[in-house]
Amino acid sequence: KILFGENIIPNCDYCQHCVVESGTNFCKVKKSINAKGKCSKFTYNPTMRKVTLKALGDYSMEDFSL
């Protein structure tokens, strides 16, 4: 079963074959990207996804007490 659903849009930023050097992405398998902008060897790797955290609002200790 694929993590996070089966409708993942291919992106080199979170591909198993992506290597980042000096801020530039490189493909380990050196495959070319087709006309649709997708690599034929795209393999999803959830650990390479960058998480964007949203700042929480201002809370006090009373907000978390019962």
Side-chain angles (χ1 to χ4, degrees), residues 7-65:
N7 298 324
I8 298 167
I9 299 169
N11 187 334
C12 291
D13 290 337
Y14 43 85
C15 178
Q16 180 69 35
H17 306 293
C18 180
V19 177
V20 180
E21 293 180 8
S22 303
T24 306
N25 294 347
F26 296 99
C27 184
K28 289 185 207 175
V29 293
K30 300 178 183 174
K31 295 289 179 177
S32 60
I33 296 173
N34 64 18
K36 294 181 181 180
K38 299 177 184 177
C39 177
S40 61
K41 291 291 185 179
F42 174 79
T43 305
Y44 179 63
N45 182 353
T47 61
M48 294 186 71
R49 264 200 123 117
K50 293 180 177 73
V51 178
T52 55
L53 300 175
K54 295 181 182 178
L56 296 176
D58 294 328
Y59 294 102
S60 66
M61 288 303 291
E62 293 175 1
D63 294 329
F64 298 100
S65 64

